Amino acid sequence: MPEDAPGNPGAVRTDAQPAGRRAAQYRKVREMQAKLHRWAGEDRSRRFGDLFNLVSDLEFLAEGWLRVRANAGSKTPGIDKATVADIENRIGVGVFLDGIRDSLKSGEFRPVPVRQVMIPKKSGKLRKLGIPTVTDRVVQAALKLVLEPIFEADFQPCSYGFRPNRRAHDAIAEIHYLASRPRNYEWVLEADIRACFDEIGHVPLMGRLRARIKDKRVLALVKAFLKAGIMTADGDREETYTGTPQGGILTPPTQ
């Protein structure tokens, strides 16, 4: 990666950052994301290295924290029973983020199993959700901030699912456009991949990731999340040989 990637952006030392500081933090993250997206688009064969320094960067972690905090699931704890409010009131955000950064930098960070929750579906069946700890969610959010602009450059314009600034209504508008005169398309095909997130293979998923990412620490971190396991309601730990539990930042429907 070019040397203009941020090194040490300055620690997020206070729990309540001034508005100007938050704006500067957001702007710096967005500028780096724009660079990553541009570099990925300019060279479709490029494999990115030295991304771990961004994932463990305090500005990226702080932005990840803000996104986790703003999510509707901020009141839902993982297996450690800690919520966003608990961390704010008992630990302090600055200390919390410093701890995450230090554990990432030292190589001591390890994702823990997600907490399994069953929620009803419209069909009457139950959907399995895996709720990560707030710590794991923040690291996942930082990972997403770094990886998303790279892979966004590879998507086709006709792809709308779970992409930033795109939604199902945009796809519907495109269908309406193509089905109207003078284009007059007549067929709309709908399909679904059964249990996609439950059964997606880790090997092909990591293979797709390696096509663009060569930073071994980032690859190891993603794999660690995939293999973190599930803690059932009965307290039993289940290994995750395939799939990615819905409920975390890195699973699109629940981000």
Side-chain angles (χ1 to χ4, degrees):
M1 176 177 294
E3 295 180 356
D4 53 359
N8 181 6
V12 181
R13 299 297 178 185
T14 59
D15 293 352
Q17 297 181 62
R21 170 64 173 157
R22 290 198 299 269
Q25 168 189 297
Y26 177 75
R27 183 170 60 252
K28 192 166 186 177
V29 170
R30 290 294 295 161
E31 287 173 353
M32 190 64 230
Q33 286 185 304
K35 290 179 182 179
L36 291 170
H37 184 74
R38 185 178 73 249
W39 296 333
E42 290 173 349
D43 184 356
R44 297 303 177 95
S45 64
R46 177 172 181 168
R47 298 179 68 224
F48 287 77
D50 196 24
L51 295 177
F52 191 82
N53 287 331
L54 294 177
V55 176
S56 58
D57 184 304
L58 270 176
E59 302 238 350
F60 275 79
L61 290 172
E63 184 62 30
W65 163 264
L66 291 176
R67 298 191 180 202
V68 170
R69 188 180 187 275
N71 190 276
S74 64
K75 297 180 180 179
T76 305
I79 63 171
D80 61 357
K81 300 182 180 180
T83 65
V84 166
D86 291 333
I87 292 167
E88 290 178 326
N89 297 327
R90 299 178 184 176
I91 303 174
V93 180
V95 173
F96 175 70
L97 294 179
D98 281 346
I100 293 178
R101 179 201 56 184
D102 292 345
S103 65
L104 285 168
K105 292 279 191 181
S106 67
E108 296 176 354
F109 176 82
R110 296 290 184 276
V112 298
V114 297
R115 181 172 66 89
Q116 188 178 80
V117 176
M118 309 295 286
I119 62 171
K121 299 170 64 175
K122 292 181 179 180
S123 63
K125 297 180 179 179
L126 294 176
R127 181 190 304 277
K128 296 179 181 178
L129 292 185
I131 311 299
T133 63
V134 176
T135 297
D136 286 357
R137 273 178 261 175
V138 170
V139 177
Q140 288 184 8
L143 262 173
K144 183 173 180 286
L145 287 168
V146 173
L147 296 178
E148 186 172 67
I150 296 172
F151 287 93
E152 266 294 310
D154 295 336
F155 283 119
Q156 297 296 321
C158 59
S159 175
Y160 291 92
F162 311 118
R163 295 179 62 189
N165 301 318
R166 286 177 172 241
R167 55 181 185 159
H169 286 84
D170 296 326
I172 294 172
E174 182 74 2
I175 291 171
H176 184 270
Y177 170 79
L178 293 173
S180 302
R181 294 180 180 179
R183 292 153 298 274
N184 294 329
Y185 281 58
E186 297 181 355
W187 291 92
V188 176
L189 302 180
E190 181 181 6
D192 186 26
I193 301 175
R194 183 177 61 188
C196 175
F197 293 104
D198 294 332
E199 299 180 5
I200 189 169
H202 292 174
V203 172
L205 186 61
M206 292 301 299
R208 294 296 296 271
L209 193 63
R210 289 189 184 94
R212 274 301 210 169
I213 309 299
K214 63 181 180 180
D215 188 317
K216 293 182 179 179
R217 290 180 296 177
V218 168
L219 293 171
L221 187 56
V222 173
K223 186 175 181 179
F225 276 116
L226 291 173
K227 300 296 186 182
I230 299 170
M231 190 68 70
T232 69
D234 296 327
D236 297 325
R237 187 183 188 281
E238 296 181 354
E239 300 293 337
T240 43
Y241 299 108
T242 61
T244 172
Q246 297 185 55
I249 299 290
L250 296 182
T251 307
T254 51
Q255 64 186 269

